[in-house]
Amino acid sequence: METVVSGIRSTGNLHLGNYYGAIQNFVKMQHEYNCYFFIADLHSLTTHPTPADLHGNVKQVLVEYLAAGIDPEKATIYIQSDVPEVAELYLYLNMNAYLGELERATSFKDKVRANPDNVNAGLLTYPVLMAADIIIHKATKVPVGKDQEQHLEMARTFGNRFNRLYKNDYFPEPYAFTFGENLVKIPGLDGKGKMGKSEGAGNAVYLSDTPEAIRKKVMRAVTDGGPTTENQTKPQEIQNLFDLMNVVSTPDTYAHFENLYNTMAIRYGDFKKQLAEDMIIATAPIRDRINDIANDADYLRKVAQLGADKARESARKTIKEVREIIGFKSF
Ligand code: TRP
């Protein structure tokens, strides 16, 4: 069975776009592959979170992934910092990662531009740590978005370089695993593109949002002055709301409002009210599970322990072999 690895950024709550997109695919993949999903808390140190923020964010992400359907018995879900072997492999890979190629990474250049006062070495070697994350389990598939394509190419470079240096084919090449058409596009509420947390407040609906918060956000969503001819093409901001309704409402409800739009009888207030209520219903079970799991310290401890045990078993094996390949020997 092929091995899949994916790192989850330990900042930001899950929104509907994450849930209906990547997460649903993770949930499916856990039945088909040997999956390792981890919370990338070492990576997050590049921005120097406080200890309380660091822990709070890790907990939030763990809780939400479990609530969304990641099964800790099927997939290995773990916290990166629980597996020190990753940091050890990162050190070895750093010896053969070169300043020029690290400086050329787009993500590095973006971060330097955004935070010129915090250009630390961890930021520079972020792709090396990411390569260690992946190849420590000898993964061949990495479910990530387009923005991670260059990082994956670097992971292949570092793995191949290790192989060449030590004249073996120890590490397989990891490739991006894109879902293509399976990826449902979830638009945001700002009338523009997709849902995302960086698109400004109110654009994204979070799984942890209260029903009140969801109602407020949806009622504030951008609309136009209404259709002026029958069966006209919907402007993007209206199409977006219909696309969201298509995901959370019943086909009957969707058809009802589409008909009202086509006959110029739609009232956006009613339309948005319905959309908000259906969003609340669609997310209610996850919201409940988020609250239950967040309050179950015992369960969280067990899940983290199980994940760490499984991930370390795999990582330890790799590190033992890597140490032998490099030439570390006990007397
Ligand atoms: N860089 C990824 C992101 O920003 C997170 C990540 C860290 C990751 N390590 C990884 C993703 C390993 C896949 C595999 O989303």
Side-chain angles (χ1 to χ4, degrees):
M1 202 192 288
E2 273 185 282
T3 296
V4 167
V5 165
S6 194
I8 302 156
R9 264 172 274 192
S10 64
T11 51
N13 303 356
L14 291 177
H15 53 64
L16 294 187
N18 301 132
Y19 180 68
Y20 289 105
I23 312 287
Q24 295 290 320
N25 284 297
F26 281 18
V27 169
K28 247 185 270 159
M29 267 189 306
Q30 64 187 351
H31 302 287
E32 295 160 19
Y33 299 99
N34 181 25
C35 288
Y36 293 90
F37 301 130
F38 68 93
I39 300 165
D41 60 346
L42 294 177
H43 284 278
S44 75
L45 295 181
T46 55
T47 59
H48 312 146
T50 66
D53 283 349
L54 180 66
H55 179 73
N57 289 338
V58 168
K59 179 180 169 184
Q60 179 79 16
V61 173
L62 180 62
V63 166
E64 293 196 356
Y65 271 75
L66 293 169
I70 303 290
D71 180 351
E73 304 282 339
K74 292 241 152 60
T76 297
I77 177 154
Y78 65 100
I79 296 153
Q80 187 184 28
S81 61
D82 279 343
V83 184
E85 289 79 6
V86 171
E88 185 173 339
L89 182 58
Y90 163 65
L91 184 149
Y92 302 148
L93 295 178
N94 267 328
M95 304 303 167
N96 299 294
Y98 293 95
L99 183 60
E101 63 188 340
L102 295 171
E103 280 176 332
R104 277 195 299 278
T106 315
S107 59
F108 178 68
K109 289 193 282 194
D110 287 349
K111 284 173 190 162
V112 170
R113 219 172 295 123
N115 299 296
D117 301 332
N118 184 29
V119 186
N120 61 69
L123 212 54
L124 182 73
T125 56
Y126 182 111
V128 187
L129 180 54
M130 180 161 162
D133 291 328
I134 297 166
I135 70 179
I136 195 131
H137 302 300
K138 298 189 165 186
T140 49
K141 285 188 153 55
V142 186
V144 285
K146 271 247 168 307
D147 63 322
Q148 298 297 312
E149 205 54 77
Q150 191 179 38
H151 285 157
L152 266 185
E153 192 183 327
M154 294 172 84
R156 288 192 290 276
T157 300
F158 300 139
N160 284 333
R161 200 172 282 158
F162 179 95
N163 290 351
R164 220 173 312 114
L165 182 63
Y166 296 107
K167 298 183 176 55
N168 60 40
D169 54 3
Y170 187 71
F171 289 117
E173 286 190 322
Y175 281 92
F177 186 76
T178 39
F179 307 108
E181 280 139 48
N182 290 338
L183 210 55
V184 192
K185 184 186 150 250
I186 302 292
L189 294 173
D190 62 359
K192 298 185 198 117
K194 62 178 189 175
M195 189 174 283
K197 70 171 169 129
S198 47
E199 321 301 325
N203 176 53
V205 173
Y206 294 96
L207 294 179
S208 56
D209 277 348
T210 60
E212 270 327 299
I214 295 178
R215 277 186 202 110
K216 255 193 206 140
K217 285 181 186 175
V218 174
M219 295 317 283
R220 279 195 203 128
V222 182
T223 48
D224 66 352
T228 50
T229 54
E230 291 199 348
N231 302 315
Q232 76 180 55
T233 311
K234 301 181 188 80
Q236 169 145 44
E237 65 270 25
I238 303 301
Q239 185 61 51
N240 284 355
L241 298 181
F242 271 94
D243 286 349
L244 285 166
M245 182 170 262
N246 193 30
V247 172
V248 296
S249 303
T250 65
D252 282 355
T253 300
Y254 182 87
H256 170 70
F257 282 99
E258 177 142 83
N259 185 48
L260 289 178
Y261 186 86
N262 286 337
T263 54
M264 299 187 298
I266 193 161
R267 295 208 311 216
Y268 287 142
D270 297 343
F271 173 55
K272 291 203 275 191
K273 232 179 240 160
Q274 180 77 45
L275 177 60
E277 291 316 307
D278 288 344
M279 244 181 213
I280 291 165
I281 292 169
T283 50
I286 308 163
R287 206 165 24 252
D288 291 348
R289 276 203 298 275
I290 290 174
N291 291 329
D292 289 349
I293 296 172
N295 291 312
D296 195 344
D298 226 38
Y299 177 68
L300 285 173
R301 196 178 315 113
K302 274 185 201 136
V303 166
Q305 187 64 54
L306 177 67
D309 288 347
K310 288 199 283 181
R312 286 198 79 178
E313 189 182 327
S314 156
R316 249 193 233 114
K317 180 170 182 292
T318 301
I319 283 296
K320 181 171 181 290
E321 289 164 356
V322 162
R323 292 179 67 110
E324 276 162 19
I325 291 170
I326 290 177
F328 292 125
K329 271 191 173 158
S330 39
F331 289 95

